[in-house]
Amino acid sequence: MQTIENYDFSGKKALIRVDFNVPLNENFEITDDTRMRAALPTIQAVIEKGGSPIIMSHLGRPKGPEAKFSLKHLVAHLSELLGGTEVKIAPDCIGDETKAMAAALKPGEVLILENLRFHGEEKKGDEAFAQQLAELGDCWVNDAFGTAHRAHASTAVMAKFFPNDKMFGTLVSSEVASLDKVVAEPQRPFTAIMGGAKVSTKITIIENMLDKVDNLIIGGGMIFTFVKAMGGNIGGSLCEDDYVEMAKNIIEKAKAKGVNLVIAEDCVAADKFANDAAIEVCGSGEIKDGWLGLDVGPKTIEQFKEVIGNSKTVLWNGPAGVFEMENFAAGTVAIGDAVVEATKKGAFSLVGGGDSVAAVNKFGIAAGVSYISTAGGALLEYLEGKELPGIAAVRS
Ligand code: AMP
């Protein structure tokens, strides 16, 4: 198999599929550049080995060409991350002008293509579109783990045009190696912390995790669907009524499988969804009408610390509370600290999913965990044991 290390990039134009789907604020400034930084080793390796990187990505969910989703917003920062190297931007990801720009690239010059999703063909996995992209370069590097679960034109379909010139980028190969430490043979006890807003988006992984873990910590807004399933009063807390039955099943299954399912016993409730709300600590099932549980409480934090502290493998996906607001960040901070402590004691810790990565960066603990995955859906599907099209396309 070709790798970044063994491939001769000299004089070649390398089409690198990256995941630059970064969050932007209303002034189109990047608020978290983790995904961009994660792709740098691959881009730099191509440059150092005498190639020209042609960077391809999507950004957001455009319905056609939309200025607010233009990759132009990323050019200056990418140039800065590459130590001042000029980054040219193509007016589109295909077409004559783009082709001419790609053809004119000299070794070491960097071109970024305009948002792939300005063309509906990208998500449809259209072969003719994939071929047009393929014509721009000499080899294909998949360094976008975040979209590896999609059989899109740039993430999987274009592999067929490079039967002998396709490879994983540095990020994807280290990502797969790290995930295998959790999926394949985790050291025990293995604890998964599943947090975030909605049960509906995490239900499959939660069910799958029940077969793998010793401890399953439920965090975030999801807690309250479980608390409701146990008959508690959750006031106006986030709850998905359609999932209450599912939550009951999970509680039963966990019992049957001997998994320690940790559902917050206390919480920080607020009288409105705002940092300056009135606050009180109460049982998670004793929330007053109209109040909302926005973080886990101190007893739960102690329980989290104990469970995480005794783990040899920790997977963390999703915050414990509304960590973006200072008054509801304590649970998420405590999880982060406990994960760092466990790692110091020799545990392998993997943090994945957009919001947990944002939390880890916000609280400055990134250096203390074993591996940070920048992927969301792809990570979850990999953890569920599914074969990802973007991985299979390189391996086949
Ligand atoms: P997700 O994208 O599903 O991982 O959810 C992450 C979001 O869930 C974050 O923006 C948190 O602010 C939010 N969140 C966490 N806990 C709660 C809660 N108790 N109530 C409402 N939102 C929450």
Side-chain angles (χ1 to χ4, degrees), residues 195-198 201-202 219-224 237-238 273 292-295 317-325 354-356:
K198 291 185 171 173
T201 56
K202 306 259 165 98
M222 287 200 289
I223 291 170
F224 301 100
S237 304
L238 208 61
F273 190 85
L292 327 148
L294 297 183
D295 194 11
N317 175 278
V322 185
F323 71 98
E324 298 92 336
M325 297 183 199
D355 271 308
S356 1

Side-chain angles (χ1 to χ4, degrees), residues 267-281:
C267 73
V268 178
D271 68 345
K272 59 179 176 180
F273 190 85
N275 196 45
D276 64 354
I279 284 175
E280 70 178 33
V281 172

Side-chain angles (χ1 to χ4, degrees), residues 14-314:
L15 285 154
I16 312 175
R17 178 47 159 110
V18 297
D19 177 6
F20 279 3
N21 187 26
V22 290
L24 301 176
N25 65 16
E26 58 280 10
N27 298 320
F28 305 110
E29 289 154 351
I30 300 158
T31 53
D32 182 350
D33 68 351
T34 308
R35 288 176 172 171
M36 293 178 77
R37 281 187 282 108
L40 291 179
T42 297
I43 299 169
Q44 278 157 340
V46 170
I47 295 172
E48 277 158 24
K49 295 179 89 174
S52 325
I54 301 178
I55 297 166
M56 311 181 283
S57 183
H58 74 283
L59 176 65
R61 295 181 172 174
K63 295 193 177 68
E66 286 184 67
K68 66 176 173 182
F69 295 118
S70 172
L71 289 177
K72 279 186 190 127
H73 308 307
L74 276 51
V75 169
H77 190 60
L78 179 60
S79 169
E80 196 182 312
L81 290 173
L82 290 170
T85 303
E86 188 198 352
V87 174
K88 301 178 204 292
I89 173 132
D92 195 351
C93 57
I94 53 169
D96 290 343
E97 209 177 321
T98 302
K99 230 172 160 173
M101 284 181 85
L105 277 185
K106 295 192 185 68
E109 289 185 345
V110 183
L111 176 67
I112 185 164
L113 305 184
E114 186 50 284
N115 197 335
L116 294 159
R117 291 198 190 162
F118 283 178
H119 295 263
E121 291 90 338
E122 161 65 1
K123 283 177 81 171
K124 288 188 196 126
D126 184 271
E127 198 170 315
F129 176 72
Q131 186 168 11
Q132 282 176 281
L133 293 172
E135 282 166 3
L136 301 172
D138 304 302
C139 60
W140 177 66
V141 182
N142 188 2
D143 209 21
F145 190 78
T147 48
H149 59 318
R150 306 285 185 216
H152 294 170
S154 69
T155 63
V157 179
M158 64 188 283
K160 70 174 63 154
F161 301 104
F162 300 102
N164 302 311
D165 300 276
K166 58 181 182 176
M167 68 210 88
F168 292 131
T170 314
L171 171 64
V172 173
S173 43
S174 64
E175 188 99 23
V176 169
S178 296
L179 294 188
D180 282 344
K181 283 194 191 169
V182 173
V183 178
E185 280 193 21
Q187 298 274 312
R188 299 195 174 273
F190 173 17
T191 299
I193 308 154
M194 305 300 300
K198 291 185 171 173
V199 183
S200 50
T201 56
K202 306 259 165 98
I203 192 81
T204 323
I205 185 81
I206 290 175
E207 285 190 318
N208 274 279
M209 279 295 141
L210 284 177
D211 292 326
K212 300 192 166 80
V213 300
D214 303 293
N215 305 296
L216 180 58
I217 292 178
I218 302 290
M222 287 200 289
I223 291 170
F224 301 100
T225 303
F226 283 87
V227 173
K228 187 160 183 183
M230 296 189 298
N233 293 323
I234 58 166
S237 304
L238 208 61
C239 179
E240 289 170 286
D241 287 329
D242 293 349
Y243 284 83
V244 172
E245 277 307 309
M246 285 277 203
K248 275 187 195 157
N249 286 339
I250 287 171
I251 295 169
E252 287 309 314
K253 270 192 204 162
K255 257 189 218 147
K257 288 176 191 285
V259 170
N260 175 30
L261 180 66
V262 183
I263 298 166
E265 64 178 289
D266 62 346
C267 73
V268 178
D271 68 345
K272 59 179 176 180
F273 190 85
N275 196 45
D276 64 354
I279 284 175
E280 70 178 33
V281 172
C282 62
S284 305
E286 294 160 357
I287 302 176
K288 289 190 279 201
D289 286 352
W291 284 56
L292 327 148
L294 297 183
D295 194 11
V296 295
K299 281 190 202 153
T300 302
I301 286 181
E302 286 312 309
Q303 199 184 1
F304 283 2
K305 276 189 193 160
E306 195 189 321
V307 171
I308 297 167
N310 289 324
S311 304
K312 290 269 163 38
T313 304
V314 184

